[in-house]
Amino acid sequence: MNVLVINGPNLNLLGKRPKEHYGTKTLDDINALMKNAAKGSAIILDFYQSNYEGDIVTKIQEAVLGKYDAIIINPAAYTHTSVAIHDALEMFKGEKIEVHLSHVDEREDFRKVNFVRSVCTATFAGKLEGSYVDAVEYLKAKL
Ligand code: DQA
């Protein structure tokens, strides 16, 4: 199972963001934890991070066109703004897992607006890096 892992804006600077919401791990640390969770299974992870909405849309389109079997995505701030990411995810027919480090539904009102949840098949949020590991475990259980 080829799995595309997408991280949106500012997640490349994890480790420097507010620790009370995002913890202390870097994105490389999180990717390593995910790889470890996938080890020995049929899951092959491909990691992508961008600060640009259109680049994320283009990457999701690769999955729509057949390059990937599942998507794990933390759209970061674009979760709350992006119709374009919603529309791209809507076209992908495999598992689409929304992930957040923080308790995104229990924070400011603007973070309660969510353009991706309705087109995702599962959500893991509020467990810091554990949310990403949970997403891998969820896919392993589906194999
Ligand atoms: C986030 C939550 C978003 O509201 C925020 O803009 C982020 C990260 C999370 O992982 O908790 O950048 O997606």
Side-chain angles (χ1 to χ4, degrees):
M1 177 189 264
N2 290 309
V3 180
L4 173 60
V5 182
I6 300 178
N7 279 288
N10 297 308
L11 294 172
N12 55 317
L13 292 190
L14 281 177
K16 297 186 190 303
R17 299 190 66 186
K19 296 186 184 359
E20 65 275 22
H21 294 304
Y22 305 120
T24 55
K25 297 269 189 281
T26 66
L27 191 55
D28 282 348
D29 292 337
I30 293 173
N31 293 349
L33 288 169
M34 294 178 80
K35 266 192 199 162
N36 195 47
K39 205 164 24 182
S41 77
I43 291 176
I44 298 161
L45 299 170
D46 195 358
F47 298 102
Y48 180 78
Q49 190 278 330
S50 177
N51 295 322
Y52 298 96
E53 184 177 18
D55 288 349
I56 293 170
V57 169
T58 300
K59 197 71 192 175
I60 294 167
Q61 288 180 359
E62 287 183 16
V64 173
L65 295 175
K67 195 168 167 193
Y68 297 100
D69 305 304
I71 298 173
I72 296 172
I73 183 165
N74 183 349
Y78 290 138
T79 306
H80 318 297
T81 63
S82 182
V83 176
I85 290 175
H86 166 281
D87 289 354
L89 285 170
E90 185 177 49
M91 285 187 281
F92 180 69
K93 297 305 172 207
E95 290 284 344
K96 297 163 266 192
I97 304 163
E98 176 198 5
V99 162
H100 300 283
L101 295 137
S102 68
H103 285 288
V104 74
D105 301 316
E106 296 166 23
R107 296 177 60 192
E108 304 95 320
D109 281 349
F110 67 84
R111 291 184 208 275
K112 293 182 180 130
V113 177
N114 188 319
F115 283 88
V116 302
R117 189 152 307 163
S118 66
V119 287
C120 284
T121 48
T123 299
F124 296 98
K127 286 178 68 180
L128 302 174
E129 56 278 2
S131 303
Y132 288 84
V133 174
D134 283 355
V136 175
E137 296 295 346
Y138 172 87
L139 287 178
K140 272 165 76 176
K142 296 259 165 193
L143 287 171

